[in-house]
Structure formats: C-alpha cells, structure tokens
Amino acid sequence: MPNISLVMIVKNEEVHLEDCLDSVKHYVNEIVIVDTGSTDNTIEIAKTYGAKVYGYTWTNDFADARNFALSKSTLDWNLILDADEQITSWDKDKVNSLLKDLNFIGKVDIKSNFLQNNEERFSQNFISRLLPKGASYFGRIHEQVVSDLPRIDLPIEVFHTGYFQTDKSERNLAILNEELTCFPNNSYILYQLARQYKTMNLYEDAFNFFRESFLIADRSEGYFTDLVVNYIYTLIELKQYYPGFEIIDQLNVPLGSSPDFQFVCGIFYMNFVLSDVAKNMDFLPLIERAYLTCLVLGEQKEREIVVGTGSYLAAYNLGVYYEMLNQKEKAKYYYNISSAQNYSPAEIRLKPLK
C-alpha cells in the first residue's frame, strides 16, 4: 500500500472534523492537521485520531498555510481535504496500482451541493488533491497546485458541503481583491471574482469580471467551460442577449459536447424568446434542440459540471417546453424520464397531465 498522508488546514471545525476523519482514516497512513487558531474542540478531536497537530498563524493566504502543512508530511503522497469534506468512494486496488508511479498529480471527484432556483443541486469537478512529495500551492484563495506533472483522474469521490447555505462572500472578496492587485491580468482570479459576485446576485460586477476573464482566458484551462456557462447565465440575468449570441456562436463547436453549455443555451434561448415572443418566435426550435442535445450527450457519458444537465434537468425542461406548446404526450414522456430519476418537480408537473 502506498504511503499517504492526509494533510489539512482547519479552524473551529468541531462540527465537521469527526465525520471527515472517519471517512478517510482507513485510506491514509498519517494525519497532519495544521490549526489556524481554533477556539473550540477541533484540536482535541484531531488528536483522538492520532493526528500530528501544528499551530499556524493565519496570514490571509491559503497557499502559504497549505504549503506549511505539506512541509510537515513525512510520506510519499499527500491527500488534501477540508474538514467539511468526506470520502464517499475510494477504489483501493486501482488507486494503489496508480500510486506506484510518483510522476503525476492525482485529481479526485469533488461533489458539492448548492441552491439554485430554490432547489438543492449538485456540482462535480475533478480537482488536484493527491500530490506527490514536492508539489506545492500558489494563490491566496482558490489556490492551485504548482507542478508540471501530468494530471490523472483517480477513482476517488469526495462530498463537500462547505458552500451549502453558507456565506463566505466577505472573506472571499477581500482575499480575491488582494490577489488581483498583485496579478491584475490573471484570468483565473478574474473568473473567481466574477463567480463570487454572481453568487451575491451582483450581476453587473459579475459581468465585468467574466468579460475580462473571458477575453484573456486560455481555452485549454479546466475552468474555461464553467467560466463560459456562468458568463452566459449572467448575461441572461442582465437581459444582454446579443453578447450572449456572440459567445454561443463562437463556442458552439469547441464546447458543443458539454451538457452544461448546451443546457445554458436552452435557458438562454427560452429567455430570449420570452423577452419578445412575437419578434423572436423563430428561435423557439433552438430551445428544443439544445435540450435534446443535452440528453444525447448524457447518454454518451459526457462529463457534467452540474449533475442532471445531461439527464433529468434537461428532460424536465423539455417537458415544460412541450407542455407550453400544448404537446401533452411529449411533455408526459419527458417528465416521466425526469421523474424516473427522482426529480420531484417533474412528478408534480405530471399529476395534472395524467
């Protein structure tokens, strides 16, 4: 079995820490916890799991704290988790086989829950979290791994609850703006600022930062699809349809296999048609095409950012589309697809159609 150290930075995490450590303790050989000033029982809980606990004076820099924690690890591999995360799946045989080679960065599937349209939804992203000795972090917030080693997806799943019905806006904005002062042309920082403002429903601010990030972003970066999707959502909120059409036309080919891109296109076309039905009725078929494409991509197992964009969410929106056109049998067909995947709004819409 490879030698893996769990490496964490924490502060006042007594509510989450035990669940986190219970989920991971059978997969690691060492636990290193760096505490940045807890006043609750965090340190005591960590010690009951045999953790090596170190104190650290917080400097408003997540990368510095993570690098300090990494310096305390004594093993070949370092697994990075936050206290509000739990391991939900780990294929030991495959992971152990892969970790015989130290020449890569391991990406794990981080799933998160969030609120959208008053519904709990789930996102998923493969993020670099299993690092060989020598890898380090850069960035005051939303820190990234600095390494030229290739990234490999690992059969490890983590569930993260840290942003569900919590507000970290004030902290995040302060650190992001500090980072932007040092790196004004960094597309990733601009993107994270835009996302933060969008979360706060400050769409004009979000638009400005999304636009700046989009203009200079490297399209090969892992966050590019999410940047584009959230940029289009922001344009919908601001009813800026013509810039939205320009972006969609420009990226329809390179991002055409993304369920999330196709899904937001469907929402964009719907809002555009409804903004002036008499004038924009010719665009109605684009709504149907976008969501049908989502379902095809879902069947092809194309990776989703928001779970359901290639399945039950797209099927539900098709049901709404057909119901709006009074095509009740088609509406029922797609509501049934969505309902079969336990999407409760589809079950509700089905009742009056039966």
Side-chain angles (χ1 to χ4, degrees):
M1 177 178 176
N3 291 316
I4 302 174
S5 178
L6 172 65
V7 178
M8 304 176 66
I9 58 173
V10 300
K11 181 181 178 181
N12 292 334
E13 293 288 358
E14 66 178 7
V15 173
H16 299 113
L17 187 58
E18 189 171 356
D19 288 337
C20 173
L21 296 179
D22 275 339
S23 77
V24 72
K25 63 186 179 183
H26 297 299
Y27 304 112
V28 299
N29 311 92
E30 175 184 69
I31 299 175
V32 173
I33 292 184
V34 168
D35 185 84
T36 64
S38 291
T39 56
D40 63 3
N41 292 319
T42 295
I43 292 175
E44 288 74 16
I45 292 170
K47 287 181 177 178
T48 65
Y49 287 83
K52 300 175 182 177
V53 180
Y54 301 89
Y56 175 83
T57 301
W58 180 245
T59 62
N60 238 28
D61 190 322
F62 279 91
D64 274 357
R66 294 224 187 267
N67 291 335
F68 175 79
L70 285 168
S71 74
K72 301 302 181 181
S73 167
T74 65
L75 303 182
D76 295 329
W77 287 95
N78 299 301
L79 174 68
I80 312 301
L81 288 182
D82 291 331
D84 53 12
E85 295 176 334
Q86 299 175 34
I87 300 292
T88 55
S89 177
W90 183 304
D91 189 322
K92 272 190 172 183
D93 291 337
K94 289 183 179 178
V95 172
N96 290 350
S97 177
L98 288 167
L99 295 192
K100 293 175 183 177
D101 179 6
L102 291 172
N103 295 316
F104 70 89
I105 303 293
K107 299 173 72 176
V108 306
D109 187 4
I110 308 288
K111 290 182 166 62
S112 303
N113 55 342
F114 64 99
L115 283 177
Q116 187 176 61
N117 300 329
N118 296 316
E119 293 178 13
E120 183 180 10
R121 295 195 177 171
F122 299 88
S123 65
Q124 55 186 4
N125 283 289
F126 275 83
I127 299 176
S128 299
R129 290 293 193 88
L130 195 56
L131 319 179
K133 181 176 288 293
S136 60
Y137 279 92
F138 173 82
R140 288 180 176 87
I141 191 170
H142 300 297
E143 60 280 10
Q144 296 178 291
V145 176
V146 180
S147 176
D148 292 328
L149 293 174
R151 264 65 166 177
I152 295 178
D153 292 348
L154 297 176
I156 298 173
E157 293 183 2
V158 173
F159 187 66
H160 172 240
T161 62
Y163 283 98
F164 186 66
Q165 295 181 313
T166 60
D167 187 0
K168 301 180 181 179
S169 302
E170 185 176 347
R171 180 204 71 180
N172 291 355
L173 279 179
I175 301 175
L176 282 166
N177 279 306
E178 186 179 354
E179 192 81 330
L180 187 65
T181 301
C182 299
F183 305 98
N185 295 314
N186 186 303
S187 64
Y188 182 73
I189 298 169
L190 292 165
Y191 153 73
Q192 290 292 358
L193 268 166
R195 278 184 58 92
Q196 187 62 61
Y197 281 118
K198 179 176 175 288
T199 299
M200 299 165 66
N201 298 325
L202 297 173
Y203 295 109
E204 289 286 355
D205 293 306
F207 164 74
N208 290 328
F209 284 108
F210 275 131
R211 179 177 56 186
E212 288 186 57
S213 178
F214 177 75
L215 289 173
I216 61 175
D218 182 343
R219 296 186 180 185
S220 67
E221 291 286 355
Y223 63 88
F224 184 72
T225 300
D226 191 67
L227 160 62
V228 172
V229 168
N230 279 286
Y231 189 9
I232 296 172
Y233 275 120
T234 301
L235 292 171
I236 293 169
E237 292 289 341
L238 296 173
K239 297 180 171 54
Q240 293 199 25
Y241 296 114
Y242 292 103
F245 273 112
E246 289 181 6
I247 294 169
I248 290 171
D249 289 344
Q250 183 181 347
L251 295 170
N252 196 43
V253 173
L255 296 186
S257 62
S258 163
D260 297 87
F261 175 76
Q262 295 291 349
F263 188 83
V264 75
C265 286
I267 293 175
F268 177 87
Y269 297 138
M270 174 71 80
N271 279 269
F272 178 68
V273 170
L274 293 177
S275 69
D276 190 335
V277 175
K279 182 179 178 182
N280 300 329
M281 185 60 73
D282 289 346
F283 290 87
L284 200 61
L286 295 181
I287 303 169
E288 178 186 38
R289 186 180 72 182
Y291 292 132
L292 288 172
T293 302
C294 286
L295 295 179
V296 171
L297 294 172
E299 291 174 358
Q300 295 172 352
K301 306 298 182 184
E302 295 289 345
R303 186 172 292 172
E304 304 167 318
I305 299 172
V306 175
V307 176
T309 53
S311 56
Y312 61 88
L313 293 177
Y316 174 79
N317 283 7
L318 272 170
V320 173
Y321 171 81
Y322 290 123
E323 187 177 2
M324 180 182 68
L325 297 179
N326 203 33
Q327 298 181 30
K328 292 185 179 180
E329 290 306 311
K330 282 189 174 182
K332 287 167 60 177
Y333 175 79
Y334 286 103
Y335 284 146
N336 275 313
I337 291 175
S338 184
S339 175
Q341 296 173 67
N342 300 316
Y343 188 53
S344 59
E347 296 172 9
I348 294 170
R349 297 295 284 256
L350 267 173
K351 289 179 180 178
L353 295 176
K354 287 184 177 179

